[in-house]
């Protein structure tokens, strides 16, 4: 707190703070590039890393995917009914299905999947896991041990978090598309031709590529930013004064920037 007050009280330190801020962002980008190269390298996937990645994927995806899909389906069902009733009251029923697909499938579901994975990661964060409160170890030894453990688990965690966002977004989007058809046309198959034509008009090649890229970027952001923030805390232990997930605000900012960029490219 005192360092923050000194920073605001002394404008001469603003330049140093800005350079430190830029260095923090550069460290995150550099770590992301290294992690992606490691993830694409066949030598990374030895037996130990494969088992570790499988455990992380099971814990971050399979254990929560049914509950996330169920909760998302219930909320989406309510939104679909509201959109259909509102569109019908204004005589715009023929636009209701396209609106549901654009709003829910293209925008809300990928963002909610990324936020859910990020929230799950933040709830699992414990400051003692950084080696900062470990009894019987010096601060430097605790930091070295935490850094070694994070390096060992970094790639499996990155793969698991990115896979979690992708799988949750894809599975939930499929469920919502089925719910949208049932709500608009019922259980009869006579509306399939009109339904596929409407959905195909929404999912043009450009929009589909943008949807996939946005989901991939969401997964990379959720996987990378908290890990980079934790590793940066190991390099600068004097800055550790938080008990929440490191990098949470930066992650939220990046997710909003990705979503805003996606909207701008599609509709502006």
């Amino acid at each position: 707190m005192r360092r923050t007050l000194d920073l605001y009280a002394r404008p001469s330190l603003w330049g140093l703070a800005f350079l430190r801020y830029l260095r923090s962002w550069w460290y995150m980008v550099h770590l992301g590039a290294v992690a992606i190269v490691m993830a694409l390298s066949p030598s990374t996937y030895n037996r130990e890393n494969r088992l570790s990645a499988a455990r992380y994927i099971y814990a971050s995806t399979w254990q929560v995917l049914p509950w996330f899909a169920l909760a998302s389906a219930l909320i989406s069902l309510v939104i679909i009914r509201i959109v259909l009733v509102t569109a019908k009251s204004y005589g715009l029923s023929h636009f209701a299905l396209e609106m549901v697909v654009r709003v829910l499938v293209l925008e809300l579901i990928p963002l909610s999947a990324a936020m859910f994975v990020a929230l799950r990661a933040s709830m699992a964060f414990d400051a003692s896991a950084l080696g900062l409160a470990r009894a019987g170890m010096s601060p430097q030894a605790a930091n070295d041990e935490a850094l070694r453990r994070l390096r060992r688990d970094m790639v499996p965690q990155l793969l698991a978090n990115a896979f979690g966002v992708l799988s949750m977004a894809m599975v939930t989007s499929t469920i919502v598309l089925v719910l949208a058809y049932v709500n608009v046309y019922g259980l009869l198959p006579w509306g399939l031709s009109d339904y596929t034509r409407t959905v195909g008009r929404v999912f043009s090649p450009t929009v589909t590529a943008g949807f996939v890229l946005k989901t991939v970027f969401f997964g990379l952001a959720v996987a990378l930013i908290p890990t980079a923030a934790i590793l940066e805390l190991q390099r600068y232990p004097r800055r550790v004064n938080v008990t929440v997930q490191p990098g949470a605000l930066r992650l939220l900012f990046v997710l909003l920037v990705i979503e805003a960029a996606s909207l701008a490219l599609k509709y502006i």
Side-chain angles (χ1 to χ4, degrees), residues 20-251:
R20 183 182 301 167
Y21 183 73
L22 292 180
R23 183 178 60 183
S24 178
W25 278 95
W26 170 249
Y27 178 75
M28 182 189 70
V29 174
H30 179 263
L31 178 65
V34 172
I36 291 175
V37 171
M38 292 175 62
L40 296 177
S41 175
S43 61
T44 302
Y45 299 97
N46 53 41
R47 179 177 177 82
E48 182 181 359
N49 285 344
R50 290 199 304 269
L51 292 176
S52 179
R55 287 194 297 268
Y56 281 121
I57 290 175
Y58 174 79
S60 64
T61 303
W62 180 247
Q63 285 186 339
V64 297
L65 180 59
W67 303 107
F68 176 80
L70 179 60
S72 299
L74 293 176
I75 297 174
S76 299
L77 185 60
V78 174
I79 296 176
I80 290 171
R81 293 303 304 169
I82 292 174
V83 171
L84 292 178
V85 172
T86 304
K88 184 177 180 180
S89 64
Y90 286 98
L92 301 173
S93 300
H94 53 290
F95 293 115
L97 179 60
E98 183 174 346
M99 185 182 302
V100 166
V101 175
R102 289 186 180 276
V103 173
L104 280 177
V105 178
L106 292 181
E107 309 301 339
L108 293 183
I109 289 177
L111 184 60
S112 63
M115 295 296 292
F116 180 82
V117 175
L119 178 62
R120 181 176 172 82
S122 67
M123 292 176 65
F125 170 70
D126 182 7
S128 62
L130 296 175
L132 304 174
R134 189 170 303 180
M137 295 182 66
S138 65
Q140 184 62 40
N143 289 334
D144 292 341
E145 169 62 21
L147 182 58
R148 185 193 65 81
R149 188 173 66 250
L150 286 171
R151 283 175 174 170
R152 180 193 63 198
D153 297 337
M154 182 179 66
V155 172
Q157 285 180 342
L158 290 175
L159 292 174
N161 288 336
F163 180 81
V165 174
L166 288 172
S167 59
M168 289 181 187
M170 298 303 177
V171 171
T172 309
S173 297
T174 303
I175 294 174
V176 170
L177 288 175
V178 174
L179 290 176
Y181 177 86
V182 172
N183 277 272
V184 174
Y185 300 102
L187 297 176
L188 299 177
W190 316 121
L192 280 175
S193 60
D194 183 61
Y195 175 78
T196 54
R197 185 165 53 250
T198 301
V199 174
R201 186 169 60 247
V202 173
F203 280 94
S204 62
T206 303
V207 172
T208 303
F211 172 75
V212 174
L213 286 177
K214 180 177 72 172
T215 307
V216 170
F217 286 147
F218 278 166
L220 291 177
V222 170
L224 173 64
I225 294 176
T227 304
I230 293 173
L231 287 174
E232 189 178 11
L233 290 179
Q234 301 307 310
R235 298 180 66 190
Y236 307 102
R238 63 183 183 278
R239 300 181 189 175
V240 178
N241 55 1
V242 295
T243 57
V244 298
Q245 172 69 32
L249 294 179
R250 184 175 298 180
L251 175 60

